[in-house]
Amino acid sequence: MTDSNETKSKSSNWHLRTDNKIALVTGAAGGLGKSFTQCLLDTGATVIVSGRRRETLEHLKSEFPDHADRIHVVTMDVSDESSVTQAFDVMANEVGVPDVVVANAGVAVSKKALDCTDDDWNSVIDTNLKGCWLVATEAARRLAGEERQGSIIMISSILGHRSAGNVAPYAVAKAGVEQLTRVLALEWARYGIRVNALAPGYIETDLNRDFFATDPGQKMIRRIPQRRLGQPDDLCGPLLLLASDLSHYMTGSTLVVDGGHLQSSL
């Protein structure tokens, strides 16, 4: 029989905290990046926000005055290998190699497949899939070199599991992210580097709010079993689980946060 004091002692450590962790959020200034940054800052992490435009990142930093000493700006184009390497050099020199990486940078093109150009395809695949590869491998290489453990969190999508019209490159990229998560988790488990994915459903942001107010948008919402859009805060708990030490025996997993959308009928 388990000693009650031992059980109490263990349970007292069950907190979604990220104290003493250095977290990198790519694509921090757009979409869900700000919410991820807020979650990590509020739970104790030092957060590096990255993106291509420094002025946008500096504006983001200014929105967290209470955490000014724990938020840092590093510019990086995730689709460019030299840019990723240089950004990690800056991080290593100024803050440290991040042991939590949120690979969030992404773009989308809304076109019918026959209307997509090579540039459309390359833009989406390079940012959403190649970008995850470059950032994850650079982080893991440095963590392994320092014999440090870490958690890499790929931001996927339910479109990596099911198909939809007019988003072919995006859906293909996210399906690739799902498989990338699994193969990297397999290879890097020996280093104590965990790789998991977070797959949101439709989350309300400034970019899609107007669309979901239209008749077609409302029809999409009615297909979600919970009959509502997700909010950025709905992703905070799952993100923190993967970032914190509570998930130390999880790797190669995907947490789907979609209001039951994947379970809806075709």
Side-chain angles (χ1 to χ4, degrees):
M1 184 166 59
T2 303
D3 182 85
S4 59
N5 289 331
E6 180 183 352
T7 301
K8 182 178 181 181
S9 176
K10 288 181 179 179
S11 64
S12 67
N13 293 321
W14 293 348
H15 300 297
L16 294 178
R17 296 292 305 178
T18 56
D19 301 285
N20 302 316
K21 295 188 181 297
I22 301 172
L24 166 66
V25 179
T26 69
L32 301 172
K34 179 179 177 181
S35 178
F36 293 150
T37 299
Q38 179 83 67
C39 293
L40 291 162
L41 286 171
D42 285 349
T43 54
T46 293
V47 181
I48 303 165
V49 293
S50 78
R52 289 180 293 178
R53 291 177 289 276
R54 187 171 191 88
E55 61 274 15
T56 305
L57 296 170
E58 291 289 356
H59 177 74
L60 174 65
K61 178 179 178 179
S62 71
E63 296 186 43
F64 299 101
D66 293 341
H67 302 302
D69 59 329
R70 288 191 289 108
I71 184 168
H72 304 265
V73 169
V74 176
T75 56
M76 175 168 57
D77 179 351
V78 299
S79 67
D80 184 304
E81 184 176 9
S82 63
S83 176
V84 172
T85 301
Q86 291 170 12
F88 270 84
D89 285 342
V90 172
M91 292 181 231
N93 291 330
E94 296 183 358
V95 190
V97 177
D99 50 4
V100 174
V101 174
V102 183
N104 171 66
V107 297
V109 172
S110 182
K111 289 184 181 179
K112 295 183 182 300
L114 293 180
D115 294 330
C116 283
T117 65
D118 281 352
D119 286 344
D120 293 330
W121 174 269
N122 291 335
S123 172
V124 174
I125 298 297
D126 283 355
T127 301
N128 295 28
L129 181 53
K130 180 183 175 183
C132 285
W133 163 261
L134 291 176
V135 171
T137 52
E138 188 64 29
R141 187 176 296 114
R142 294 177 186 244
L143 286 170
E146 296 182 1
E147 297 185 347
R148 291 173 55 208
Q149 299 184 355
S151 174
I152 296 174
I153 305 166
M154 307 287 198
I155 304 304
S156 180
S157 167
I158 59 170
L159 288 173
H161 298 259
R162 288 181 58 175
S163 57
N166 302 326
V167 288
Y170 184 85
V172 170
K174 292 303 185 181
V177 167
E178 293 280 338
Q179 185 68 352
L180 182 63
T181 296
R182 290 187 283 269
V183 296
L184 296 183
L186 176 64
E187 289 198 25
W188 297 345
R190 70 194 65 184
Y191 303 115
I193 298 171
R194 300 181 293 109
V195 188
N196 295 289
L198 180 60
Y202 290 106
I203 306 296
E204 185 176 20
T205 68
D206 291 341
L207 296 177
N208 63 28
R209 188 170 292 110
D210 289 343
F211 167 73
F212 281 114
T214 66
D215 287 340
Q218 289 296 303
K219 288 180 180 178
M220 290 181 67
I221 293 173
R222 286 195 289 272
R223 294 188 63 189
I224 301 171
Q226 287 193 358
R227 299 295 190 273
R228 71 175 181 91
L229 293 173
Q231 298 299 313
D233 284 353
D234 290 322
L235 300 175
C236 190
L239 176 83
L240 292 175
L241 172 62
L242 297 178
S244 75
D245 294 335
L246 287 183
S247 58
H248 64 273
Y249 202 54
M250 288 179 65
T251 195
S253 299
T254 295
L255 293 183
V256 177
V257 185
D258 68 346
H261 202 166
L262 282 185
Q263 314 312 319
S264 62
S265 58
L266 293 173

